[in-house]
Amino acid sequence: MMGQLGSGQDKLFYSFNLDNHVPREHLLRGVDHFLDLRDLRQHLAPFYSPMGRASIDPELMIRMLIVGYCSGIRSERRLCEEVHLNLACRWFCRLGLEDAVPEHSTFSKNRHGRFRDSDVLRHVFESVLCRCMSEGLVKGEGFAIDASIIRADASSAHGVPGSDPVDWGCVKRQSRAVREYLEELEVANPAGTEAANTTETLTQPKRISLTDPAAHWTAAKGSPAFFAYSTNCLIDLQAGIIVDVEATPANRSHEVESTRTMIDRVERRRDLKPRRRAGDTAYGSAAMLARMIEEKEIAPHVPVWDKTTRKDNTLFSSEFLWDELANEYRCLTGHTLRSDRRKFRNPRSRVTNADTIIYRASQFDCESCSMKDRCCPNAPFRKIARSIHEAVRDETRRIAKTPEYKRSCRERKKVEILFAHLKRILKLDRLRLRGPSGARDEFPMAATAQNLRRMAKRFTPETKQMNQAVA
């Protein structure tokens, strides 16, 4: 017998429970189980006036943002529509069927005001990290570091060469990203100082965006150039949990420098100090290795950044014998290379601006040497630049031969998996907000969403109850 619809939608009263209509295995159920925002109001209390009309609950806005980042919803207009229509999103955001969803402009007003002033998005990331630690997902024994380039919200066509003068026009007509860029330039080079009046102290970028001047003009290998920022992630190697994240310009020197910031911050705030740290060659500079081994006592599981190799089939620096006691090199024929062949009345450190010491052979020895064609065919004598941190580089090379180093190389791929997840699943292959502050807003929120998703999929309430029952 053919069925028929009921009495339609003209009922006056309904018995409806949102919780009954959200599947037990839904992602937001797991996220809600591990998200604790009880101290959010206390953190934001100094930034709200005690008088006036009540504002929108900040917890509601944070929960909506988490829904957007967990679901890959990049538009706040689209996010408001999704929360309005989706029962699971309403349940997660603590909204009833008749509760109104905030306007999309509310997020912008709070973001440019109290959210950035209070650094609340970083606070939410830290609270989620604490939950990851309490769940046993952060061991703190080994970390891995890497960076990934994210396109800025700036068109390549709206850019000018870095050498061209730019008239930024009236301050009132400038966008937030432009004002932020000019303010940072003013802080770095205060007006009236000698540095502010010269252009030699600043490295000229190849191209500047007129909409987001702080974005760096960069290009991946084999692809056209674009404006971008870098997200730098420090992860724990046990479960791939992000323990810190930092936004920087898409520049290698800034990316490497962020390593120091993140390691110091994690140690200061969470008392986490790893025994080893994995990374690629970009993090294998001599200064960084010296900081890891000598200052932090962390074993660097990274390849040494070595520029001493030659491509003209001449002898490498490693083929020369180093004598620590005599402070000299010896070539294959037994001749010495010294740094102090010329004596000065006032002793000199002989350290160059590149933190190296130059060791030179005698020109007389090289002219009569039978191996000159293999050693220095285009120079009158052989020179070797030895880093002041060469002992640390040797220690790193020794570590690279251990089985633990090979394990770190395998585990380091977890960072690449997180970046692929960030761009393909969370849809963060292009920033939605402009300026360095926009990148500092988006990257911690994306890292928060990734940590929450990882906890939700590893420890759902049902599996946690089963584990407790077995224990």
Side-chain angles (χ1 to χ4, degrees), residues 313-467:
N313 295 325
T314 57
L315 296 177
F316 296 167
S317 300
S318 58
E319 298 182 69
F320 289 73
L321 180 63
W322 168 248
D323 190 340
E324 183 72 28
L325 295 178
N327 189 28
E328 64 183 18
Y329 279 99
R330 285 192 175 272
C331 67
L332 298 180
T333 59
H335 297 130
T336 61
L337 288 80
R338 303 183 61 85
S339 63
D340 54 356
R341 289 189 177 277
R342 181 182 175 185
K343 302 296 183 180
F344 293 91
R345 179 177 300 176
N346 298 324
R348 300 186 179 185
S349 65
R350 304 184 186 275
V351 179
T352 66
N353 293 333
D355 288 339
T356 60
I357 299 177
I358 308 299
Y359 290 81
R360 297 175 175 86
S362 170
Q363 185 173 351
F364 176 78
D365 292 338
C366 289
E367 286 178 350
S368 59
C369 183
S370 60
M371 299 188 65
K372 187 177 187 304
D373 292 339
R374 287 190 56 198
C375 184
C376 52
N378 301 319
F381 55 89
R382 179 63 186 261
K383 296 188 296 184
I384 295 179
R386 179 179 174 87
S387 172
I388 60 175
H389 305 297
E390 194 64 32
V392 174
R393 287 156 56 92
D394 291 340
E395 174 64 15
T396 306
R397 294 187 183 100
R398 185 195 65 78
I399 294 175
K401 299 177 182 179
T402 62
E404 193 176 28
Y405 175 86
K406 296 180 180 179
R407 180 166 65 93
S408 295
C409 291
R410 293 192 301 268
E411 294 177 335
R412 188 172 63 85
K413 297 178 182 179
K414 295 178 180 180
V415 189
E416 302 294 341
I417 295 174
L418 282 172
F419 289 147
H421 181 270
L422 177 70
K423 297 179 179 181
R424 297 195 177 195
I425 306 301
L426 303 190
K427 310 297 183 184
L428 189 56
D429 55 346
R430 182 187 178 97
L431 288 171
R432 182 170 49 83
L433 306 177
R434 291 177 177 171
S437 59
R440 287 192 290 266
D441 287 346
E442 292 224 58
F443 294 155
M445 281 302 299
T448 301
Q450 288 183 297
N451 285 346
L452 285 171
R453 286 175 61 104
R454 179 144 299 190
M455 278 195 295
K457 292 188 176 183
R458 287 177 65 98
F459 300 114
T460 61
E462 289 79 4
T463 57
K464 189 173 183 180
Q465 292 177 359
M466 292 175 58
N467 293 336

Side-chain angles (χ1 to χ4, degrees), residues 141-162:
E141 183 271 339
F143 285 173
I145 178 72
D146 206 351
S148 183
I149 296 175
I150 307 294
R151 288 178 178 267
D153 185 23
S155 173
S156 302
H158 295 168
V160 295

Side-chain angles (χ1 to χ4, degrees), residues 256 260 280-290 302-305 392-393:
V256 174
R260 305 184 181 186
D280 56 23
T281 311
Y283 304 92
S285 63
M288 179 59 67
L289 297 177
V302 298
V304 176
W305 191 355
V392 174
R393 287 156 56 92

Side-chain angles (χ1 to χ4, degrees), residues 118-188:
S118 64
D119 203 13
V120 68
L121 302 183
R122 169 67 64 170
H123 173 77
V124 173
F125 170 79
E126 296 282 352
S127 64
V128 172
L129 175 60
C130 286
R131 185 59 187 269
C132 294
M133 295 173 64
S134 64
E135 293 292 332
L137 296 180
V138 177
K139 188 177 181 181
E141 183 271 339
F143 285 173
I145 178 72
D146 206 351
S148 183
I149 296 175
I150 307 294
R151 288 178 178 267
D153 185 23
S155 173
S156 302
H158 295 168
V160 295
S163 57
D164 292 355
V166 180
D167 183 12
W168 297 108
C170 180
V171 176
K172 294 183 179 179
R173 297 181 180 178
Q174 294 168 355
S175 64
R176 288 189 179 92
V178 173
R179 291 199 300 270
E180 184 179 354
Y181 171 74
L182 296 179
E183 289 172 359
E184 290 188 357
L185 285 183
E186 181 64 26
V187 171

Side-chain angles (χ1 to χ4, degrees), residues 65-349:
L65 287 175
I66 290 175
V67 169
Y69 280 92
C70 284
S71 305
I73 301 175
R74 302 293 298 139
S75 168
E76 286 171 356
R77 289 178 182 266
R78 175 73 181 86
L79 174 62
C80 293
E81 293 175 0
E82 184 69 17
V83 174
H84 176 69
L85 297 174
N86 193 310
L87 293 180
C89 293
R90 278 187 171 271
W91 172 86
F92 179 79
C93 294
R94 306 294 191 264
L95 291 174
L97 288 177
E98 296 180 351
D99 292 334
V101 177
E103 292 287 336
H104 65 89
S105 60
T106 305
F107 294 96
S108 298
K109 293 178 181 178
N110 284 274
R111 179 185 299 113
H112 297 301
R114 55 177 63 94
F115 278 12
R116 284 182 181 169
D117 294 339
S118 64
D119 203 13
V120 68
L121 302 183
R122 169 67 64 170
H123 173 77
V124 173
F125 170 79
E126 296 282 352
S127 64
V128 172
L129 175 60
C130 286
R131 185 59 187 269
C132 294
M133 295 173 64
S134 64
E135 293 292 332
L137 296 180
V138 177
K139 188 177 181 181
E141 183 271 339
F143 285 173
I145 178 72
D146 206 351
S148 183
I149 296 175
I150 307 294
R151 288 178 178 267
D153 185 23
S155 173
S156 302
H158 295 168
V160 295
S163 57
D164 292 355
V166 180
D167 183 12
W168 297 108
C170 180
V171 176
K172 294 183 179 179
R173 297 181 180 178
Q174 294 168 355
S175 64
R176 288 189 179 92
V178 173
R179 291 199 300 270
E180 184 179 354
Y181 171 74
L182 296 179
E183 289 172 359
E184 290 188 357
L185 285 183
E186 181 64 26
V187 171
N189 298 276
T193 63
E194 183 179 354
N197 298 326
T198 61
T199 57
E200 297 178 356
T201 57
L202 295 176
T203 302
Q204 291 290 344
K206 189 173 183 180
R207 196 168 180 82
I208 296 179
S209 170
L210 298 178
T211 53
D212 191 354
H216 193 78
W217 182 253
T218 186
K221 187 176 181 180
S223 63
F226 52 88
F227 294 106
Y229 289 91
S230 286
T231 174
N232 302 269
C233 288
L234 184 69
I235 73 164
D236 184 85
L237 290 175
Q238 181 184 10
I241 294 295
I242 302 174
V243 296
D244 205 352
V245 61
E246 184 75 9
T248 63
N251 179 277
R252 175 172 290 181
S253 61
H254 288 88
E255 294 170 358
V256 174
E257 186 63 27
S258 69
T259 305
R260 305 184 181 186
T261 302
M262 290 188 289
I263 288 181
D264 291 344
R265 185 163 52 199
V266 169
E267 182 179 359
R268 182 177 65 256
R269 295 185 178 181
R270 298 289 162 238
D271 195 24
L272 290 175
K273 186 177 180 180
R275 190 175 57 85
R276 56 191 173 103
R277 193 218 65 188
D280 56 23
T281 311
Y283 304 92
S285 63
M288 179 59 67
L289 297 177
R291 176 177 172 80
M292 290 295 104
I293 293 179
E294 297 175 353
E295 296 183 23
K296 294 296 182 178
E297 298 180 351
I298 299 174
H301 288 196
V302 298
V304 176
W305 191 355
D306 192 358
K307 292 185 177 181
T308 61
T309 57
R310 298 189 170 194
K311 299 180 180 180
D312 56 357
N313 295 325
T314 57
L315 296 177
F316 296 167
S317 300
S318 58
E319 298 182 69
F320 289 73
L321 180 63
W322 168 248
D323 190 340
E324 183 72 28
L325 295 178
N327 189 28
E328 64 183 18
Y329 279 99
R330 285 192 175 272
C331 67
L332 298 180
T333 59
H335 297 130
T336 61
L337 288 80
R338 303 183 61 85
S339 63
D340 54 356
R341 289 189 177 277
R342 181 182 175 185
K343 302 296 183 180
F344 293 91
R345 179 177 300 176
N346 298 324
R348 300 186 179 185
S349 65

Side-chain angles (χ1 to χ4, degrees), residues 21-31 86 88-89 91 456 460:
H21 292 266
V22 180
R24 307 305 300 178
E25 66 278 4
H26 198 282
L27 175 65
L28 290 181
R29 278 197 179 273
V31 171
N86 193 310
C89 293
W91 172 86
T460 61

